[in-house]
Amino acid sequence: MAEPPAGDPAAISGRTDGLLATKLHIPRQQPGFVTRPRLAEQLADGLTRGVVLVCAPAGFGKTSLLADWARSGRRPVAWLSLDVGDNDPARFWRHVVAALDQRRPGLADQVAPLLDRSGPVSYEGLVTTLINHLAAQPVDGETILILDDYHEVKAPPVHTSLEFLLAHRPPGLRLVLAGRADPPLALARLRARGQLVELRAAQLRFTAAEAAGLLRAAVGPDLPEDAVAALTARTEGWVAGLQLAGLSLRGQADVGGFVASFSGSHRFVLDFLAEEVLDRQSPEVRTFLLETSVLDRLSGELCDAVTGRNGAQAMLERVERANLFLVPLDEVRGWWRYHHLFADLLRARLRQQQPERVRELHHNAAAWCEVHGPSDDAVRHALAAGDPAWAARLVERHADELLTRSERATLARWLAALPAEVVEVRPRLLLAQALSALVGGRTEEVGGLLDGAERALAGTVRDEPFEPSVGRAGSLLANVPALMALERAFLAELYGDAERQAAFGRQALAEAGPGDRTLSTIIGGHLGVAEWVSGRLPEAARTLESSIVRLHAIGERFLAVRVSEHLGQVQRALADLDGALETYRRALEIAAPSGQPAMPAVGVAYVGMAEVAYQRDELDAALRQLTDGIAPSRQLIFTQPAATGLATLAWVRQARGDTGAARDAIEEAARIAPGENVASLLNPVLAQRARLLLAQGDVSAAARWIEQRGLRADDEPSYPREPAYLVLARVLIAQDRPGQALGLLDRLHALATAQRRPGSLIEIKVLQALALAARGDEAAAPAALTAALELACPRRYVRVFADEGPPLAALLGKLLPAQRSEPTLPYDYLARLARTFERDAAAAGQLAGRGAGPGTAVVVPGLVEPLSSREVEVLRLVAAGRQNREIAEELVVALSTVKKHVTHILDKLGAVNRTQATARARQLGLLP
């Protein structure tokens, strides 16, 4: 229940909110543009290698060069002009996919489900899906993706995800990055592999011939050669300087005197020549240029609203014809922008000459954008108009929408731009921050934000009219008291405080009105979870079932799947594995309905099915389901499903004797799990990690974890912390303290019995049998094991016994003779358990004999640092021609893990690429 609400995602290509079509428009060629064949050849060469970087300071003609090349070429080009809003990774990838969809129709429909509110946290999963779709589409030739103004992007998640695309670029995709500074990407690696061509200021400078073409197109064919040479030298081929010089030379009687006084300094050029350009315009044009410079994008209607006059469309066309640095952003002359340098100059002049007018112009722009969009511009202009209260109202209105679309980075940017004294008195803004923190797993921030929201609500004199952009029925922020109680309920849920969770859930439900459809439905799901955490399992199952039906009915498919995950956990606590399996299958149908793209939430369903299959020792089925489930689960904001899948994968590997690979999986699971402060019932991964370490003989590590959690043998355990206390019981047995373990297990048994939780009772009775055997009670230990088997047999439990390893195998061996003579349990069930113990022991022995644990070093003469056996396994797949993605799928590990192994292999073999590494490995006898 960690996600904010949203309806089914629409195809990206049909979305207009926040996505400007002008960003996808290849800029038109400007009058007087000089073609540059030498650079076009270098671009063509770069595309054969895969990646082109066009990097130079402002005014060197990067955009014009790429636009001319894109329009004149025969290959399909997807264009995206970036701006500061693309620092939100959800927005960045939404725009990238929209750009690619123009050249690969249907791509957006396939990737759209990954960009709804259940979108990615690392975006690696989204990019993986994008790569797969690009690679799978049958197309002739290539698609070129041009990302212009990449210097505007500062957000590390965007760089990381783009780096992933570069590393796993499908064969039919070529990338061009243009910007003013080197992007923080692995350029050195691309250079070393020969996959990168770079065009920098030295290549972009105009030659004498190119400068002559530009200047004479602006001034006339009679411009003297010596004047062209002088201006070229003094501007050092800087395109913007030459363009400004061409404009200023028009009508100059003394060309020689102008050229002689001309300086090549960029600052001087801009100050001096822009002044001349502006001074030569009529007062009407000059006023228009200055007043509209507050806008990033211009249209006739918007400019009329900002200036308070009519006729802006005709004026824009006039300004464009005069070559006054106005760039059209579409084919129909609906939108323009000023050249960035020219806009900076206009704004500086406006502040100089009419400082009192600036706020009024921004106010007019904000009013227009509030009605027509985009909301990002409305907020920016409201702040620039000096009206932070207005900006705050705009943020509140659109906050639900941003959370729905996973654009939490944009919301954070808006909130950071608002004065703190404005935010702290507006409960909706504080609740939006708290909700974003809850979804992102930053639970430590939430309490203070909720306390602040409560103070702000108490201090509110009047409640302003609130019209959320998503509508009242789909908004959480519309009802402040109900949302505040809901967020407190969710925080209490994560901390395992069932009593407070239920109380706040009931309070939220009481506060919700008949129009709060989505909010009321979400509250119902939380009340079901509260029943579960309280140990009232039948009530929890009924409430959760009802919530799933209601969520599905109102189109909340993702939340319906998340609640299904909780219902499956409740059913497993009731030892109803068949019921849980059916719940997960229904969740799969919700997440991937026939004929529609699957949502990332399919991962939740597959992981749940794998947990059931693993418990029944159906290891092959569990592995298939984990392969299908972990990858999409990585795309979810809430990381628990992916962490649970990795933990289950660890146990599958452990059962097959691959202890090193099991350790790899459980460590990754622990890294991405929600956090130490989340109750172990809701996040059992950390307890599973300690348990796995214990199963591998690392008693001290498991004991340290117990100590860090502050658990003691004489505690009164609670159900929300039961998984952690069961690890403590195992540690006590391993430390030869069976008496203390039995005391703890008796209290756990009494609680589970009172709450009628047979799933817990099976595991507790197994541990009681082990503790009794460790104490030497040869009569009571088999009796306790028999009681566990009687509960487990009808439900076909296997791994709850087999994962305890040789001690339980020995106890079962003592029980078998008595069962042969006086059977109380189906013998075929007992025989299956015995065979499972034998198979696990054989698998562990065989792998140990081969030294197959990834921690085992493969020592080879000639290698200074040996390769681990896991690295040898990856090396063999590399030599077979597998790409990183394919290796990750085959080994069922994260792509980042494979990349790490490949990097280590290259370093240890002294190779710069895969081919060298393979050759070197064959020389050393590591490969046949």
Side-chain angles (χ1 to χ4, degrees):
M1 296 299 298
E3 305 290 343
D8 287 345
I12 300 172
S13 55
R15 291 176 174 172
T16 58
D17 46 339
L19 175 60
L20 293 172
T22 55
K23 291 168 66 69
L24 313 180
H25 172 75
I26 300 175
R28 294 178 59 85
Q29 187 182 101
Q30 297 297 293
F33 177 80
V34 177
T35 58
R36 311 178 75 185
R38 63 185 179 88
L39 296 180
E41 290 179 8
Q42 293 183 56
L43 287 170
D45 175 56
L47 290 176
T48 63
R49 303 194 190 187
V51 182
V52 178
L53 174 65
V54 183
C55 184
F60 270 87
K62 300 180 292 294
T63 299
S64 298
L65 169 69
L66 291 173
D68 176 66
W69 176 78
R71 286 184 176 276
S72 61
R74 296 180 179 178
R75 287 178 282 196
V77 171
W79 182 284
L80 175 58
S81 298
L82 299 168
D83 54 42
V84 67
D86 293 298
N87 281 284
D88 189 316
R91 183 172 294 190
F92 173 86
W93 285 108
R94 185 173 287 114
H95 292 171
V96 168
V97 171
L100 288 169
D101 186 67
Q102 294 191 333
R103 301 301 175 222
R104 300 283 188 94
L107 177 69
D109 293 332
Q110 295 298 317
V111 184
L114 310 187
L115 290 166
D116 66 352
R117 55 167 174 71
S118 59
V121 61
S122 70
Y123 293 86
E124 184 176 299
L126 183 148
V127 180
T128 299
T129 303
L130 177 61
I131 291 167
N132 290 340
H133 282 298
L134 287 171
Q137 283 186 323
V139 294
D140 296 328
E142 303 160 341
T143 296
I144 301 161
L145 173 62
I146 298 179
L147 301 179
D148 194 27
D149 289 334
Y150 192 77
H151 61 271
E152 295 282 6
V153 177
K154 314 293 184 187
V158 175
H159 299 315
T160 301
S161 52
L162 184 63
E163 177 77 63
F164 186 83
L165 177 62
L166 290 171
H168 303 87
R169 180 177 51 81
L173 181 66
R174 302 288 185 262
L175 274 85
V176 180
L177 302 177
R180 299 179 185 177
D182 278 8
L185 304 170
L187 299 180
R189 183 182 303 167
L190 293 172
R191 290 189 193 107
R193 295 176 178 175
Q195 297 174 347
L196 177 69
V197 166
E198 301 170 73
L199 297 182
R200 297 187 173 272
Q203 290 81 35
L204 293 172
R205 295 184 195 280
F206 266 41
T207 64
E210 291 166 343
L214 186 151
L215 291 170
R216 286 177 176 143
V219 180
D222 298 330
L223 185 65
E225 190 67 36
D226 58 346
V228 171
L231 289 173
T232 304
R234 290 175 182 174
T235 59
E236 299 179 4
W238 182 48
V239 181
L242 286 166
Q243 288 174 324
L244 288 166
L247 284 174
S248 298
L249 274 168
R250 290 178 182 174
Q252 285 282 355
D254 183 8
V255 172
F258 172 84
V259 172
S261 63
F262 182 84
S263 166
S265 162
H266 290 184
R267 180 176 178 181
F268 181 85
V269 168
L270 291 176
D271 289 346
F272 174 67
L273 297 181
E275 207 170 281
E276 285 203 9
V277 171
L278 283 176
D279 287 347
R280 293 187 182 190
Q281 307 308 312
S282 67
E284 180 189 16
V285 172
R286 188 164 55 247
T287 299
F288 179 84
L289 293 173
L290 292 175
E291 291 183 343
T292 57
S293 68
V294 300
L295 301 171
D296 287 338
R297 302 175 185 88
L298 303 89
S299 72
E301 185 181 349
L302 174 56
C303 290
D304 283 341
V306 169
T307 63
R309 295 184 295 273
N310 295 323
Q313 181 69 26
M315 177 63 79
L316 285 165
E317 294 174 3
R318 175 181 170 186
V319 168
E320 185 188 359
R321 286 194 300 271
N323 289 333
L324 291 178
F325 297 95
L326 190 64
V327 180
L329 295 176
D330 56 27
E331 298 289 349
V332 297
R333 296 302 199 271
W335 287 92
W336 287 265
R337 69 167 175 83
Y338 289 119
H339 186 285
H340 298 310
L341 295 176
F342 193 54
D344 289 343
L345 289 168
L346 292 174
R347 290 165 187 158
R349 184 69 61 83
L350 178 65
R351 289 191 298 269
Q352 254 180 7
Q353 296 181 354
Q354 303 179 56
E356 73 290 345
R357 180 85 164 120
V358 174
R359 287 195 172 189
E360 180 186 354
L361 295 169
H362 280 293
H363 182 279
N364 295 343
W368 190 90
C369 292
E370 181 178 12
V371 176
H372 300 92
S375 54
D376 210 5
D377 286 356
V379 172
R380 180 177 64 82
H381 286 299
L383 286 169
D387 195 339
W390 184 12
R393 290 194 296 275
L394 290 169
V395 174
E396 289 173 338
R397 181 183 304 170
H398 294 280
D400 282 296
E401 178 185 349
L402 292 181
L403 289 167
T404 291
R405 294 164 59 89
S406 298
E407 294 184 11
R408 291 183 290 127
T410 298
L411 178 60
R413 174 166 56 83
W414 286 0
L415 290 168
L418 293 171
E421 61 271 17
V422 172
V423 175
E424 64 190 17
V425 297
R426 303 188 74 90
R428 285 193 176 93
L429 295 183
L430 294 165
L431 289 175
Q433 277 186 292
L435 185 57
S436 183
L438 277 169
V439 171
R442 304 189 310 278
T443 53
E444 69 281 356
E445 301 175 17
V446 177
L449 290 168
L450 292 177
D451 290 343
E454 196 165 318
R455 290 192 298 270
L457 182 62
T460 300
V461 177
R462 62 182 179 84
D463 191 19
E464 300 171 319
F466 179 63
E467 299 176 2
S469 61
V470 298
R472 170 85 189 198
S475 172
L476 296 183
L477 292 172
N479 189 325
V480 170
L483 178 58
M484 191 180 306
L486 174 61
E487 292 191 25
R488 289 198 182 278
F490 183 41
L491 189 61
E493 172 189 312
L494 293 177
Y495 289 152
D497 191 337
E499 185 177 341
R500 283 172 60 84
Q501 180 190 358
F504 282 122
R506 288 191 294 271
Q507 180 184 337
L509 197 60
E511 295 281 4
D516 301 316
R517 182 194 65 186
T518 299
L519 183 63
S520 298
T521 309
I522 292 174
I523 293 169
H526 275 281
L527 288 172
V529 176
E531 297 280 10
W532 169 38
V533 175
S534 299
R536 295 187 289 273
L537 302 189
E539 297 86 346
R542 288 193 294 270
T543 303
L544 292 172
E545 282 272 18
S546 174
S547 181
I548 293 166
V549 172
R550 295 202 310 275
L551 286 166
H552 196 198
I554 64 172
E556 292 288 351
R557 291 164 55 206
F558 176 79
L559 290 176
V561 174
R562 285 285 287 125
V563 176
S564 297
E565 178 188 23
H566 292 317
L567 176 59
Q569 290 167 313
V570 170
Q571 289 165 322
R572 283 156 51 201
L574 289 165
D576 183 8
L577 295 185
D578 288 332
L581 188 58
E582 180 58 30
T583 293
Y584 296 135
R585 286 172 177 161
R586 282 190 281 120
L588 187 61
E589 293 173 359
I590 294 172
S594 177
Q596 296 185 39
M599 300 173 65
V602 296
V604 175
Y606 279 124
V607 166
M609 293 164 68
E611 289 182 278
V612 174
Y614 175 74
Q615 185 55 249
R616 288 176 164 168
D617 197 44
E618 297 164 358
L619 300 186
D620 290 339
L623 189 57
R624 286 194 304 272
Q625 290 156 351
L626 290 169
T627 302
D628 291 336
I630 291 174
S633 294
R634 292 182 190 276
Q635 300 162 19
L636 300 172
I637 290 175
F638 193 54
T639 59
Q640 186 64 63
T644 300
L646 287 164
T648 306
L649 175 63
W651 284 103
V652 171
R653 289 173 170 173
Q654 178 75 7
R656 290 182 162 173
D658 199 346
T659 56
R663 184 79 70 97
D664 283 348
I666 201 68
E667 293 298 343
E668 185 181 358
R671 283 196 300 273
I672 68 171
E676 288 276 356
N677 53 1
V678 178
S680 55
L681 182 65
L682 294 162
N683 174 27
V685 169
L686 300 179
Q688 292 283 354
R689 175 182 177 274
R691 183 183 167 194
L692 184 69
L693 294 174
L694 192 59
Q696 293 186 356
D698 197 344
V699 179
S700 59
R704 281 195 303 272
W705 183 79
I706 289 294
E707 184 178 354
Q708 290 164 2
R709 303 290 288 180
L711 305 181
R712 299 171 56 87
D714 56 357
D715 288 346
E716 193 61 44
S718 63
Y719 180 36
R721 301 180 79 188
E722 182 182 78
Y725 278 109
L726 291 173
V727 175
L728 171 57
R730 289 181 172 90
V731 169
L732 292 171
I733 295 170
Q735 291 175 335
D736 198 23
R737 293 191 283 169
Q740 290 179 305
L742 284 168
L744 174 62
L745 289 167
D746 285 345
R747 294 193 295 279
L748 286 166
H749 188 279
L751 181 60
T753 301
Q755 295 179 341
R756 294 175 295 171
R757 293 188 276 108
S760 296
L761 287 172
I762 294 170
E763 186 173 355
I764 292 168
K765 288 178 183 295
V766 167
L767 295 181
Q768 285 178 323
L770 288 171
L772 290 165
R775 196 173 65 177
D777 195 333
E778 296 186 3
L785 179 56
T786 300
L789 290 165
E790 288 172 345
L791 278 174
C793 176
R795 285 97 170 180
R796 294 161 44 210
Y797 278 79
V798 176
R799 295 308 313 184
V800 69
F801 302 100
D803 287 340
E804 300 303 330
L808 196 67
L811 189 56
L812 181 66
K814 294 179 181 179
L815 184 67
L816 286 175
Q819 286 294 320
R820 287 193 189 97
S821 58
E822 298 180 16
T824 60
L825 292 165
Y827 193 77
D828 58 345
Y829 177 63
L830 298 178
R832 182 186 177 191
L833 290 179
R835 288 195 301 271
T836 301
F837 279 113
E838 292 171 2
R839 187 204 66 210
D840 287 0
Q846 289 169 4
L847 284 167
R850 296 203 305 265
T856 305
V858 179
V859 181
V860 176
L863 270 186
V864 176
E865 185 179 358
L867 270 65
S868 70
S869 58
R870 173 63 73 167
E871 288 166 352
V872 171
E873 187 177 6
V874 172
L875 174 61
R876 288 170 181 157
L877 293 171
V878 167
R882 307 288 180 82
Q883 297 301 309
N884 286 353
R885 175 174 53 81
E886 297 170 317
I887 296 172
E889 290 173 355
E890 182 160 339
L891 299 181
V892 197
V893 297
L895 275 163
S896 56
T897 301
V898 174
K899 289 171 66 178
K900 178 187 69 175
H901 285 316
V902 171
T903 300
H904 291 170
I905 290 166
L906 295 178
D907 289 344
K908 291 179 180 181
L909 293 174
V912 298
N913 56 41
R914 292 168 172 239
T915 302
Q916 286 188 10
T918 301
R920 175 75 169 142
R922 289 199 171 106
Q923 291 172 356
L924 295 170
L926 285 166
L927 296 172

